[in-house]
Structure formats: C-alpha cells, structure tokens
Amino acid sequence: MYWVDLLWSFVLLSFLGWIFSGAYHWIIEKKFYNKGFLTLPFGPSYGLCGVACYVVFNNVANNPIITFIGSALMLSALSAIIGYTLELLLGCKPWDFSDTKLNIGSYTSLPNSVMLGIIGVFTVHMLIPPLNHVLIMIPETVSMIIVLSICAAIFIDTILSLITVFRLRNKMKRLSAEILSENSGIDGEKLKELRENYNRLFTNSLLRKRMVNAFPELKTSGYVKQISGKLDEIKTENMKEYENKFERDEDKPFAYGLCFAKLFALFIVGSFLGTCIETVYAPFAEGHFELRVGMVYGPFIPVYGGGAVLLTVVLYKMYKLSDTMIFVISAFLGAFFEYISSWLQETILGTVSWDYSNMPLNLNGRTSLMYAFIWGFLGLIWVRYLYPFAAKWIEKIPKKQGSIITVLLAIFMVYNGILTVSAVYRWEQRTSGVTASNKFEEYLDKKYDDDRMKLLFPHMRHSDDLSEIQTGESRQKNR
C-alpha cells in the first residue's frame, strides 16, 4: 500500500538522519552522542523532510535539476519552521547558522540549502525507489505491522520527550523565580543549596540527562528566557482533582471521588473516546472508512470504557508515580484487560472481534506488545490529563440532575448491552443455520440482519472461522 511505503520511507530516512547527525557531531566534536530529540535512534525531522520531497517531486519532476532547486527551497523552509518550533519548545535553538553567511533567521543558510537540495535529489531519485522494490518482497500484512509498530514507538518517544522538556523547563523557571525573589541577597549556604537543586534538575532522570546532553543550551537558557510551560500548568491544575477534600458531605459535588456515578460516567466517556480513536485509525489500517462501534446503539466501545475504569481504579492513588511507571502499569493493565475481554467474548458468544495472530510478540492473538505500548500511552494521557479534566466537568453537574441522568443512562446501557449480546448471539446462530424459535429471535433476525451486523461489527468473526483462516494462512506461509 502506498501509505505503508511512505511510512517505511519516513522510518528509514529518520534513522539515516540520526546516523548522519551523530557522525557529523563526532567529526566536529570528536565525541559521539545522541544529538536527536528522541531517545530512540531516529530523527523524525529528517524523515518528514525526505518524505515531503518524495511526495512533491516524484510525480512532478523527473528532472534532477528541478528536484534539486525545489528540494533546496522547500527543505530550507521546513528547516526554518521546524527549528523555530523546537526553539519554542526547548527554549534554545536545535541548530544555529547565525555565524554562517547568508543565513535566514539563523535557522538555515545558503550552503545548507545547497546541501539540502543534494539530499533531496538523492532521496527522490536514488534512495526511495530501490526501497519500494525491496518492500514489494515483504508480505503486506507483516510490513504494515512492523512499520506501524516502529511509528508507534517513535510517536510514544516523542510524547515522552515533550513531557520531559516541558517539565524540565518549568522546574528551571521556578528555580529562576526563586533566585530572583531573593531581595536581600543570597548567602553561601543558600547559594550552595540553589546550585545543588539546579544540578539535580539534570541528573535525577535519565530522560532529562539525555536531553541536556543533546541540547546543552538548556542548562543556561532557563535563567535567560522564561518560556511558559502550558502543558505542565495544565497537569498541575489537573492534579488538584486528586487532592480535593471536603469536611462535610453536603459540600461534596456530584459524583465526588470513586463512586459508582463517577466510574459509570468515565465508562461512558472512555467508550465514546474509543469509538473516536478506532474510527480515526480505521482508514490507516484498512485503507477505507469503517464504522467501528461495540454496541448496537450509540458510539460506544465498552473495551475502552472498561479500560478507562480499570486504569482509574488502579492508578487513582498512585498518580504521584513517575510518568514511566504509569506508562508501564497502564501497558500491563491494558494488555491484560484486552486479553480477558477477548477471552470472555469468545467463551460466552463464540465470536472474536480482534485478532493479532499476525503481529510479532502477540499472546494467543488476543493482545500484542505493540498494543500494550498503545495502552501504556493512553493510560499515561488518561491519568495525567483526560481523567482530571473529565472528572471536573462531571462534578459540575447539579446533584439532582446528575442522579437522574446516571439512572437513565445506566438503564439505557444495560438495555443496549443485553440487546447487543442477543443480536450477536443470534447472528452466530443464523450463520450456523439455526432458525428462529420465538418472537424475540424473529425480531432480532429482522431488526439486526446480517447486513446490519456486518456494518456495525465488520471485524467480528466466529471463533471456528477465525481458526480456519489462521490455519490457512499458516499453511500458505509454510509452502
């Protein structure tokens, strides 16, 4: 598929860009270290620029001269945009051409543009075409799984790196404010304490230490330039949800704490967000739009809702853990919950809604390492940002109206769940040739016929049919 080939090009170019950057600094500074923004050996900016060149000039220009000029102009503009954006995030320039003649805002220069033009020609005409011929020899499903797993790891690494930078910048900002607030001067003991606190910023976390090694300017920019840490401010504000205390019960808002009303509302929110995530993901995975829901009525996928509730219950008292620990716990809990949900569906209904047998490092096809990483990322975002935000809005609902809404929604979801299970069970019976034996089954056959069920649950399979498919694929691979 075309988009899979582009993702492979992005991954390869990101890796080659990381090697190029490391080799360049090794030659200049006689020392090799990870100069990139990510912990993994990838430079996404190189990959994005290379893919952009290929998309624009592969079909537009067969002439290397046109590709050279166009790549030089386009990549110079992208370099300036990426450099400016990273400066806003980091508080220092990721690269600086201010000492080079004919520079553009110190983000790029004419000699650099010439080099970018040469790289564009090499990428479009000499690198990606042979790569596409190699990719043809890899089974499409295997290729898609591997490249999506790598891209997911890069995406997660990017989020964790951004969180690390924002937290570091805000800690530096607070330390800077503490120094500036000393109106009467700083004595020797206070200066020693401040220096220890300052140095500790860059040594008490492996991610921070690596980031400062890559961007040493971070150590000084915090005292000169105070960039607003909006993300950290949101997180700090959100954490108040875990700390609110009320002495009298009448002062407590609706659905305070981990009561049924709060958890049920979070189940609804998580189920809805799951539908949004799956619907957005479907075109990338299947190449076309799909309606992905988990119930016959409403945009709800209960697996996501149940996962949100499980993560909230387990991590509610553990929110002070590091982001890394929350990520690991969320990955384990999410994978475990996904496995149990799949097993229960197959055991009770005889159907399977997802199968990861073709993925590397899967567990009985019910979950996989890649989806464990995704659960870890979702859990981290849920605990740090989504849950506190959602909880505050839920608690703003008036108590009387909130109780009524909870009861009505609970009745609806129970009815929806029973009807969904019944419709799926009857669908499985029809597939096996069992005719309706009562009025309710006749109603299910008419209201939820095969076409409608296939529309609602396009990937649901009978467990026996799935086993036959997996056996056939295994035999085909062994030939």
Side-chain angles (χ1 to χ4, degrees):
M1 288 184 287
Y2 180 68
W3 65 271
V4 174
D5 294 341
L6 290 182
L7 287 180
W8 271 116
S9 299
F10 165 76
V11 169
L12 178 62
L13 292 171
S14 297
F15 178 67
L16 292 177
W18 177 84
I19 292 178
F20 172 80
S21 177
Y24 174 80
H25 288 283
W26 179 76
I27 294 172
I28 299 299
E29 304 177 25
K30 306 301 180 183
K31 178 183 178 182
F32 181 84
Y33 57 89
N34 187 357
K35 187 66 177 177
F37 181 68
L38 304 185
T39 304
L40 295 174
F42 295 101
S45 59
Y46 294 95
L48 288 174
C49 290
V51 170
C53 279
Y54 180 75
V55 171
V56 173
F57 299 110
N58 180 50
N59 296 322
V60 174
N62 293 322
N63 190 331
I65 296 178
I66 297 178
T67 303
F68 169 79
I69 297 174
S71 298
L73 295 174
M74 186 176 73
L75 294 185
S76 296
L78 286 175
S79 296
I81 293 172
I82 294 173
Y84 176 75
T85 303
L86 287 177
E87 184 180 5
L88 291 179
L89 295 175
L90 297 172
C92 60
K93 294 181 183 295
W95 49 79
D96 189 359
F97 294 95
S98 56
D99 295 332
T100 305
K101 294 183 178 180
L102 301 176
N103 70 83
I104 304 174
S106 73
Y107 297 111
T108 188
S109 65
L110 182 59
N112 184 63
S113 298
V114 172
M115 183 185 70
L116 291 175
I118 296 173
I119 292 176
V121 173
F122 173 77
T123 300
V124 174
H125 297 287
M126 302 175 64
L127 181 62
I128 294 183
L131 173 64
N132 291 337
H133 287 294
V134 174
L135 293 175
I136 295 175
M137 296 184 290
I138 304 176
E140 187 174 282
T141 303
V142 175
S143 177
M144 180 178 66
I145 292 172
I146 294 175
V147 75
L148 285 177
S149 300
I150 297 174
C151 289
I154 293 175
F155 180 69
I156 292 170
D157 193 0
T158 302
I159 296 299
L160 293 178
S161 298
L162 284 172
I163 292 174
T164 299
V165 168
F166 279 121
R167 295 180 68 181
L168 177 60
R169 292 289 301 155
N170 280 275
K171 287 180 181 293
M172 293 170 67
K173 178 180 177 181
R174 287 193 291 270
L175 185 58
S176 177
E178 183 180 353
I179 293 175
L180 294 175
S181 65
E182 297 288 341
N183 297 324
S184 58
I186 303 177
D187 56 25
E189 288 297 323
K190 183 64 176 177
L191 181 60
K192 181 180 179 181
E193 178 186 350
L194 290 173
R195 284 177 176 173
E196 289 177 354
N197 292 338
Y198 174 68
N199 291 327
R200 198 178 297 119
L201 287 176
F202 312 106
T203 58
N204 65 351
S205 168
L206 291 176
L207 285 176
R208 290 186 199 169
K209 188 175 181 179
R210 196 209 65 77
M211 197 66 68
V212 172
N213 286 336
F215 303 99
E217 298 87 351
L218 280 170
K219 283 192 173 184
T220 57
S221 60
Y223 292 98
V224 181
K225 205 174 179 183
Q226 297 182 354
I227 295 180
S228 173
K230 191 62 177 176
L231 190 61
D232 198 52
E233 291 175 7
I234 294 174
K235 176 181 172 181
T236 302
E237 178 66 22
N238 283 351
M239 288 301 103
K240 294 179 181 178
E241 165 63 26
Y242 296 97
E243 304 288 356
N244 284 339
K245 303 293 181 183
F246 295 91
E247 296 181 359
R248 301 186 306 169
D249 290 341
E250 53 268 27
D251 293 334
K252 294 180 181 179
F254 168 72
Y256 174 74
L258 289 185
C259 61
F260 170 79
K262 171 70 71 59
L263 294 177
F264 178 72
L266 294 176
F267 171 79
I268 298 294
V269 172
S271 299
F272 173 74
L273 290 177
T275 301
C276 297
I277 293 172
E278 289 288 339
T279 301
V280 172
Y281 173 72
F284 296 97
E286 304 298 330
H288 58 84
F289 174 80
E290 277 186 354
L291 176 65
R292 291 195 174 185
V293 294
M295 310 186 82
V296 293
Y297 289 119
F300 306 111
I301 299 182
V303 172
Y304 283 88
V309 171
L310 178 63
L311 291 173
T312 302
V313 171
V314 174
L315 295 173
Y316 185 79
K317 296 296 184 181
M318 304 168 67
Y319 68 94
K320 290 185 179 180
L321 291 175
S322 66
D323 292 341
T324 303
M325 285 302 301
I326 289 179
F327 175 85
V328 172
I329 294 173
S330 300
F332 175 80
L333 288 176
F336 171 78
F337 183 74
E338 189 174 36
Y339 186 96
I340 294 298
S341 298
S342 176
W343 179 82
L344 287 174
Q345 179 183 344
E346 184 174 2
T347 302
I348 297 173
L349 298 176
T351 59
V352 177
S353 293
W354 60 87
D355 175 55
Y356 305 138
S357 299
N358 292 325
M359 287 189 175
L361 300 176
N362 73 86
L363 187 59
N364 297 332
R366 304 186 191 280
T367 189
S368 68
L369 182 62
M370 186 188 80
Y371 279 94
F373 284 154
I374 293 175
W375 275 108
F377 168 71
L378 292 176
L380 178 61
I381 298 301
W382 177 262
V383 171
R384 291 294 190 231
Y385 303 101
L386 294 181
Y387 163 73
F389 178 78
K392 288 178 182 178
W393 278 97
I394 293 170
E395 292 177 1
K396 289 182 179 180
I397 301 175
K399 291 185 178 181
K400 184 176 180 180
Q401 291 86 334
S403 300
I404 295 174
I405 293 173
T406 300
V407 171
L408 293 178
L409 273 177
I411 294 173
F412 167 73
M413 292 303 288
V414 170
Y415 168 77
N416 197 4
I418 293 174
L419 201 57
T420 299
V421 172
S422 300
V424 170
Y425 181 73
R426 182 60 199 143
W427 185 22
E428 187 273 334
Q429 283 188 319
R430 285 199 306 271
T431 304
S432 302
V434 179
T435 58
S437 60
N438 53 58
K439 293 292 185 181
F440 180 61
E441 290 183 351
E442 291 176 359
Y443 166 79
L444 292 175
D445 288 346
K446 181 179 180 180
K447 183 70 174 179
Y448 306 101
D449 57 17
D450 292 350
D451 292 337
R452 182 170 183 181
M453 295 300 287
K454 289 178 181 178
L455 175 66
L456 293 174
F457 311 109
H459 294 278
M460 187 175 291
R461 299 287 186 273
H462 191 279
S463 56
D464 294 337
D465 297 337
L466 184 61
S467 298
E468 293 178 3
I469 294 173
Q470 292 173 350
T471 302
E473 291 178 348
S474 178
R475 289 175 179 173
Q476 190 175 12
K477 290 179 180 178
N478 292 332
R479 288 179 180 176

